[in-house]
Amino acid sequence: MKTVFSTEDVHPRDRFEYWHSVACEKVTAHTSIPEYRTGFQASLQSADLADIPLVVFENSPMAIAHTAHHAAHANADELFVCRQVAGRLALEQDSREVVLQAGDITLLDPRLPYTGRFSKGSKLLVLKIARSMLEARVGKAREMVARPITLLEGENSLTSAYLAMLPMHAGRLSPATEEIVMNQVLDLVAVSLATTMQASPRFSSVRSLVRLQVRAAIDARLADPALDASTVAAAAGVSVRYANAVLAEENTTIMRLVQARRLERCRRALEAPEQNHRTVSEIAYSWGFSDMTHFGRKFKAAYGILPSEYRRLERKSDGSFVTDLAISAGPFLPAEFP
């Protein structure tokens, strides 16, 4: 990760003010009061993981407030996944309080006011995740903010360990690998949020958990060309009717989602240099397509180009074409495909 700021490079009298301006720019606007202005120390590093900006910062003890004024001007498209790396952080948002110890995770919404108090030796990792990408997996986020995601649950321990590795590898992965890792991060965070909310008496996350179970059942069986809605629903422990009703909230169905995930896997394979030795048809068949004409038509509908052309143009370029194409095409929307 790139070091954006360190108080070691700033005169002691200017350290806190300089730190505050950088933190407002790189994380979100807030007011803050250091426990000791004299001798204040802090550092901030940043990197991107595909579409997820990462920020890691250490700072001396201080109190912060993201006020209603700040919230009104915050980026409405972002949610913050916070993992405490060291020290302790106490947060309050939406009338809920959470105290993070090393390894603990919580969710913050910058559209809502919050306050926090950092202990001595605090170090925090923040993932700035697109609201749409997370809410597509877990539903509306408001009831999930400032909930403790602790290491007591097995799912949470896995999520925390995975997030801990990101700063070490961010900025060093290929675009195709970054996209895979980004989706794994989103899925793991969603599982932990759903697990935490299921235990909460204030909110039912059953439908969110069903969405995750359906997605997991699909991903585990994508290579099976005979995969059907009944098999997916049975693996998720629900009826086809209920699964499709839950997925309808995302404007999709079981089989549309199957097709979307298969096309996404094929696209990744076509981009990956280590899979250049495989033919387009071999890749399509390996991810459950049984008709190359059908595959080509659906791939073009999703990405605006035939799979063979997609690979050929990627090979002729330095890889930027694929990235530009994916950006211009926008996110893959399963609802577009009947």
Side-chain angles (χ1 to χ4, degrees), residues 244-313:
N244 280 333
V246 171
L247 291 175
E249 297 172 5
E250 300 176 355
N251 297 317
T252 191
T253 65
I254 292 175
M255 294 314 297
R256 286 179 179 175
L257 190 54
V258 168
Q259 182 172 268
R261 301 293 264 189
R262 282 175 170 165
L263 286 169
E264 182 183 3
R265 294 296 184 116
C266 289
R267 179 180 61 79
R268 292 177 185 172
L270 292 171
E271 292 176 9
E274 63 271 19
Q275 298 203 43
N276 282 347
H277 65 285
R278 303 178 70 196
T279 65
V280 172
S281 58
E282 182 182 354
I283 289 171
Y285 290 139
S286 70
W287 286 112
F289 286 99
S290 55
D291 183 325
M292 286 301 296
T293 301
H294 172 78
F295 168 65
R297 185 172 67 252
K298 293 303 180 183
F299 190 96
K300 185 173 183 179
Y303 303 113
I305 191 171
L306 289 171
S308 57
E309 296 171 343
Y310 189 92
R311 166 178 269 184
R312 184 166 56 253
L313 287 168

Side-chain angles (χ1 to χ4, degrees), residues 6 42 49 78 93 151 154 172 184 186 273-274:
S6 173
L49 177 72
E78 290 182 338
Q93 184 172 58
L151 302 180
R172 302 171 58 189
Q184 290 173 341
L186 290 167
E274 63 271 19

Side-chain angles (χ1 to χ4, degrees), residues 126-292:
V126 177
L127 285 71
K128 303 174 78 170
I129 292 179
R131 184 181 301 271
S132 59
M133 291 197 297
L134 190 57
E135 290 191 341
R137 290 165 166 81
V138 298
K140 295 300 180 182
R142 174 136 191 184
E143 285 294 329
M144 301 182 184
V145 301
R147 302 282 186 182
I149 300 175
T150 67
L151 302 180
L152 297 178
E153 297 286 345
E155 293 89 343
N156 300 346
S157 181
L158 174 60
T159 302
S160 180
Y162 199 89
L163 297 186
M165 296 189 296
L166 299 181
M168 184 187 309
H169 299 286
R172 302 171 58 189
L173 307 175
S174 68
T177 304
E178 280 194 350
E179 186 175 350
I180 293 171
V181 173
M182 179 187 71
N183 281 293
Q184 290 173 341
V185 166
L186 290 167
D187 287 341
L188 284 171
V189 169
V191 167
S192 287
L193 285 170
T195 301
T196 299
M197 293 307 300
Q198 189 179 33
S200 170
R202 292 182 58 187
F203 180 78
S204 173
S205 62
V206 172
R207 295 174 78 84
S208 297
L209 194 56
V210 167
R211 278 195 292 270
L212 290 172
Q213 290 170 334
V214 169
R215 288 176 179 274
I218 289 172
D219 285 344
R221 297 162 178 80
L222 274 181
D224 180 5
L227 182 62
D228 58 16
S230 297
T231 301
V232 172
V238 295
S239 68
V240 172
R241 181 177 179 179
Y242 184 67
N244 280 333
V246 171
L247 291 175
E249 297 172 5
E250 300 176 355
N251 297 317
T252 191
T253 65
I254 292 175
M255 294 314 297
R256 286 179 179 175
L257 190 54
V258 168
Q259 182 172 268
R261 301 293 264 189
R262 282 175 170 165
L263 286 169
E264 182 183 3
R265 294 296 184 116
C266 289
R267 179 180 61 79
R268 292 177 185 172
L270 292 171
E271 292 176 9
E274 63 271 19
Q275 298 203 43
N276 282 347
H277 65 285
R278 303 178 70 196
T279 65
V280 172
S281 58
E282 182 182 354
I283 289 171
Y285 290 139
S286 70
W287 286 112
F289 286 99
S290 55
D291 183 325
M292 286 301 296

Side-chain angles (χ1 to χ4, degrees), residues 89-93 96-100 106 108 114-116:
L89 171 59
L91 293 166
E92 185 276 328
Q93 184 172 58
R96 287 186 290 275
E97 297 180 358
V98 59
V99 177
L100 301 182
T106 198
L108 289 181
Y114 64 83
T115 59

Side-chain angles (χ1 to χ4, degrees), residues 86-120:
R88 189 167 64 95
L89 171 59
L91 293 166
E92 185 276 328
Q93 184 172 58
D94 208 25
S95 301
R96 287 186 290 275
E97 297 180 358
V98 59
V99 177
L100 301 182
Q101 307 285 349
D104 292 345
I105 303 167
T106 198
L107 183 70
L108 289 181
D109 187 342
R111 291 194 309 185
L112 303 174
Y114 64 83
T115 59
R117 182 172 292 277
F118 293 86
S119 73
K120 180 179 180 180

